[in-house]
Amino acid sequence: LYRSVATCDIIAGLHRALARRMSDFAQDGWLDGEIYFDGGLAQNKDLIVSLEETFMKDIKTLGSPQFTCAIGAAINLMHKRR
């Protein structure tokens, strides 16, 4: 691409930037226990590696994480319509 930077290096940079941004939300040490990552992005193995490097912890994901968010959204909507 521009300046002959390899696409994989650009994507790795995006993963590191996302991980740093997520860690900004977790300041003040309130992440003492295990960390679970959910949603469609939890399927991205390289992003998980970047998160583990940033948080210096193992990041756990559930099977089919894209569905757990969708199910949660559906339950939330169901409760709002009552």
Side-chain angles (χ1 to χ4, degrees):
L1 302 178
Y2 182 72
R3 295 187 186 179
S4 299
V5 176
T7 303
C8 62
D9 291 336
I10 293 170
I11 293 170
L14 288 170
H15 288 151
R16 285 190 300 274
L18 279 168
R20 276 195 309 269
R21 183 68 178 126
M22 289 177 187
S23 74
D24 288 346
F25 292 120
Q27 294 300 317
D28 302 326
W30 59 271
L31 283 179
D32 293 332
E34 296 178 330
I35 299 174
Y36 285 84
F37 192 48
D38 203 10
L41 285 176
Q43 296 179 31
N44 187 322
K45 304 276 188 229
D46 293 326
L47 178 56
I48 299 298
V49 169
S50 291
L51 288 167
E52 290 175 334
E53 291 171 354
T54 300
F55 285 100
M56 294 182 278
K57 302 180 110 175
D58 287 336
I59 304 294
K60 298 179 178 7
T61 60
L62 303 171
S64 303
Q66 74 279 16
F67 295 121
T68 55
C69 280
I71 291 168
I75 290 170
N76 188 31
L77 180 63
M78 189 173 66
H79 286 296
K80 284 183 178 181
R81 289 189 173 184
R82 286 186 181 178

